Amino acid sequence: MTSTTLAAIPTIKTTRLKLRPFSLADAPEVQRMAGSIKVAQMTATIPHPYPDGAAESWISTHLGQFTDGDAVTWALEELSSGNLIGCISYGVSKTHKRAEMGYWIGEEYWGKGYCTEAAISGIDFCFQHFSLNKITSRHLAHNPASGKVMLKAGMQQEGYLRQDMIRYGQVSDMVIFGLLRSDWERS
């Protein structure tokens, strides 16, 4: 893994991916991929339909959030093609020394292990560069593939919240995962 200075959102290279800052030029592809009903239904927050201008507005928040130590958000780029394939982010709670990981992958890139690869690198970066005790993540129970990403990234299931969210008119359970710094250091 390589990274640059923390003055700007760093770029990290993995075996098959580049985790890099988003640019406004990515907005149309973000809107297309994240706006897919199949992607949106697997997340807790992505709207469908995806509104015009929302991607640009979202991208414009990333540098300030990183500079303030509140979050790091990366575009996931496939090294072999240079294509944007998704996103991974870590929202930081300084008070609780915790970050929450969230991600989405364009449906044409599902099932290739890209999200796990990004999650492992992102977790490593966050524990190395933020004063964190824990990284958490959660997924809708009807998306078990997301839980597999969390397990492969070293996280443990910590909870199951019944009927925790209403998404597109459907009541959904939420599964909670976590990884302590002490467990990450031992791995």
Side-chain angles (χ1 to χ4, degrees), residues 10-154:
T11 296
I12 300 171
K13 287 187 180 177
T14 69
T15 304
R16 301 177 299 154
L17 299 173
K18 183 190 295 184
L19 284 65
R20 61 162 175 82
F22 276 95
S23 74
L24 288 177
D26 295 317
E29 192 64 356
V30 168
Q31 184 172 0
R32 182 190 73 77
M33 284 192 297
S36 160
I37 188 64
K38 289 181 181 179
V39 171
Q41 286 176 331
M42 295 300 154
T43 72
T45 59
I46 293 176
H48 183 80
Y50 200 94
D52 289 341
E56 292 87 348
S57 178
W58 174 69
I59 290 167
S60 71
T61 66
H62 296 170
L63 182 58
Q65 289 173 340
F66 182 73
T67 302
D68 293 343
D70 295 328
V72 60
T73 302
W74 285 290
L76 304 181
E77 181 180 301
E78 187 180 48
L79 284 176
S80 63
S81 67
N83 291 339
L84 175 67
I85 65 165
C87 169
I88 193 161
S89 65
Y90 298 81
V92 176
S93 168
K94 295 175 205 160
T95 302
H96 300 292
K97 296 186 176 219
R98 179 180 67 228
E100 182 171 359
M101 177 177 69
Y103 46 78
W104 58 265
I105 300 289
E107 63 184 284
E108 59 267 43
Y109 300 100
W110 288 358
K112 298 178 186 285
Y114 287 140
C115 203
T116 299
E117 191 171 321
I120 291 168
S121 290
I123 287 168
D124 288 347
F125 175 87
C126 287
F127 275 130
Q128 290 168 8
H129 295 284
F130 294 113
S131 181
L132 299 177
N133 179 57
K134 184 176 187 177
I135 295 176
T136 64
S137 196
R138 58 195 171 112
H139 72 86
L140 295 165
H142 67 262
N143 183 9
S146 192
K148 289 179 184 176
V149 167
M150 295 171 199
L151 286 170
K152 289 177 184 177

Side-chain angles (χ1 to χ4, degrees), residues 142-186:
H142 67 262
N143 183 9
S146 192
K148 289 179 184 176
V149 167
M150 295 171 199
L151 286 170
K152 289 177 184 177
M155 302 179 105
Q156 297 178 27
Q157 184 177 328
E158 296 185 341
Y160 191 94
L161 305 176
R162 298 179 314 142
Q163 299 184 12
D164 189 58
M165 176 172 274
I166 298 175
R167 190 82 167 118
Y168 302 113
Q170 299 290 323
V171 176
S172 297
D173 297 347
M174 189 68 71
V175 187
I176 310 299
F177 282 76
L179 177 62
L180 299 176
R181 173 181 284 279
S182 58
D183 293 335
W184 171 77
E185 288 172 341
R186 283 194 293 268

